[in-house]
Each structure stands twice: as C-alpha cells, then as structure tokens.
Amino acid sequence: MTAPVALVSVDPCIASSYDRAGKTGGPRANLTPLAKLGKAGIAHPETAPALLALHQAVTARGGDLRITECHRDVGVQRAARAKYEKWVAAGKPRPGTPGFDAATMKAAVVAQPGRSGHNAGRSIDVHLGALAFPVPADKQLDVLWECALPLGWKPIIRTADESASEAWHLDYPGELAGVMSRLGYEQWALCGAILVGHGDLVTFAAAVQAMLSRAGYDLGKIDGIAGLKTNQALAQALGVDVARVPAILSTQDTSIYAKLLALPVK
C-alpha cells in the first residue's frame, strides 16, 4: 500500500552520535551525519526542518546537538519490544546482575510496534552527555528545552531532570498535535506512523482513518476497520454520498489521498 506521505532525509549538517566505527563521544568532526545512517536519518517532511531549526538554536546557545536516533523502522521497533517484554517477564532484573542478559533484554520501556513517534519520523533521541552548553551539568536539559519548546518540540517527561528515563526523548507533534490532544500519545504515534507507511497497520482503511483523524474527524481509535463512523466521515470529507464509500474502500482508491491530505488539520 502506497504511503500517503513520504519520509525525507534530514539536513546533512545534523550530526549523529556515532563515528564510522559506531562509537560515541568522539570529536564532532569524526561523527557520521545523521542523514548517512539510512532509515535512521529520515524524518517526516515537517519534522526535518524543525530538527534543523533545533540544531541552529542549540548551536546559537553554544551547545552541540548530536542525535542518537531519529526514525526507527517498525521491524527494529518490534525486535526492541521483544527484548523489553523478555526483561519484564524476567522480573525486570537490574543491568549488571546475574538475571539480566544484555543480548536478549532491554531495561527500558519500548512502545508497541507502530506506536512510537520514532516510527512516524516525528521523534528524536538526543545525546544529552554531549550537549556541552556553557552551563552546569544539571542545567543542560533546561537549556535544551529552552531551545526546543518554542520550535514545537515536546519533551516526553514532565520536568527537566537529566536522570529521568527518556529525558533524551523529544517529539514533534506538528500537524498531528490535535490527534495527540484528543486521543493520546499512542494514537498520535500510530496515526503518524500509518501516514508514512511505517506502522503495524499499513492497510488502506487504516491510512484513511489516519488522514481523517488528522483532519479532526471523531472516529475513536484508529484500528484499520472501516465502521460506521469512518464511512460517514469519509463521505463528508470527500463530499460524496455515504453509499459510495464501500466501493472506494474496496477498490482502495489512493487518488483520494490528495484530497484528504488537503483538508485543514485540527
């Protein structure tokens, strides 16, 4: 199924956290540009310029923005989720203890496949230890937020605490901010992932639901099942009789994508 929206490469000046050997922490001049990391270096078309703006804001404050992860393929998400679930099943042993197997476990929360902002190309993980703002170590995150929040980036934690899990994670809700507000984080991420063809629901009906949710139609949760609400919303969005909708859905007429994406976002 053709994705309604194509992901794009991030600006070449955005640095990843890694050098050519895959190691972190070295001089910036030795780092691999994020755009050179294949699928990890692509983002939603409105996220890419927002990331460039963040890079410029951080640089202007004397900091060094390095990205450990941007887009994450849904297959990678699935593998990481399996490691997280194995860790939970083992009783969440602490890393470094006999019960923890670093090769098969991940001691951090991992979203369900297709339900991470990374799958949507709308999230980044920042190398906090490399920010190097000219402020005390416990104020690095504060300055990052001062740079990020006015640009539309949204932290996933409530307070700027460098020691908190996911302190490194920032989301760019963008045009899907209304979806996040109405349906919550998971549905926001799922909607975004479906729109770029990287969710675990890659059907035509799911894509239609994602575009309708983006436009503010009340469908409830996106589930890939075109029920009454989806049919009525699609008829209204396209300006057709609801009786025509089953044929549109059954033939998977992707020509409607342009009209649905042209709807005002809410």
Side-chain angles (χ1 to χ4, degrees):
M1 179 59 59
T2 303
V5 179
L7 294 170
V8 300
S9 180
V10 302
D11 193 278
C13 75
I14 307 297
S16 76
S17 298
Y18 312 103
D19 61 20
R20 292 182 180 179
K23 296 181 179 180
T24 63
R28 185 178 179 85
N30 295 344
L31 299 177
T32 301
L34 185 61
K36 296 291 185 180
L37 295 183
K39 290 183 178 180
I42 55 179
H44 187 277
E46 68 170 2
T47 307
L51 180 54
L52 176 59
L54 179 60
H55 161 77
Q56 294 168 337
V58 168
T59 302
R61 293 290 297 271
D64 182 358
L65 184 69
R66 305 182 183 191
I67 305 300
T68 60
E69 191 168 25
C70 183
H71 173 256
R72 185 187 302 147
D73 185 81
V74 70
V76 175
Q77 184 79 25
R78 189 173 292 113
R81 177 72 186 190
K83 288 185 176 182
Y84 164 70
E85 290 178 348
K86 185 165 184 178
W87 175 64
V88 172
K92 298 184 178 181
R94 294 179 60 185
T97 63
F100 184 79
D101 182 355
T104 63
M105 296 179 184
K106 187 174 180 66
V109 176
V110 177
Q112 292 279 3
R115 289 163 171 76
S116 165
H118 288 294
N119 302 148
R122 290 182 171 276
S123 299
I124 56 172
D125 289 339
V126 177
H127 189 164
L128 297 183
L131 281 173
F133 287 117
V135 297
D138 64 347
K139 297 298 181 182
Q140 296 292 313
L141 194 57
D142 295 78
V143 180
L144 177 63
W145 285 19
E146 289 171 9
C147 295
L149 292 174
L151 299 174
W153 289 95
K154 183 178 178 66
I156 202 168
I157 59 175
R158 294 180 181 273
T159 58
D161 177 4
E162 280 85 354
S163 66
S165 178
E166 297 293 326
W168 52 83
H169 183 102
L170 293 173
D171 297 307
Y172 190 75
E175 64 182 14
L176 300 183
V179 178
M180 180 182 280
S181 176
R182 293 189 301 271
L183 301 178
Y185 187 94
E186 182 181 279
Q187 285 287 299
W188 164 78
L190 176 61
C191 181
I194 290 170
L195 287 176
V196 297
H198 286 264
D200 62 340
L201 288 174
V202 291
T203 65
F204 180 74
V208 167
Q209 288 180 325
M211 287 181 280
L212 291 172
S213 293
R214 170 184 173 274
Y217 286 93
D218 178 17
L219 310 176
K221 290 187 176 181
I222 298 170
D223 58 8
I225 301 172
L228 179 60
K229 286 187 175 182
T230 298
N231 287 6
Q232 291 175 335
L234 183 56
Q236 183 178 346
L238 296 178
V240 301
D241 190 277
V242 71
R244 289 184 54 193
V245 169
I248 294 172
L249 293 171
S250 65
T251 58
Q252 301 188 11
D253 182 6
T254 57
S255 68
I256 68 172
Y257 284 179
K259 187 165 186 177
L260 294 181
L261 289 175
L263 294 170
V265 296
K266 296 180 181 179

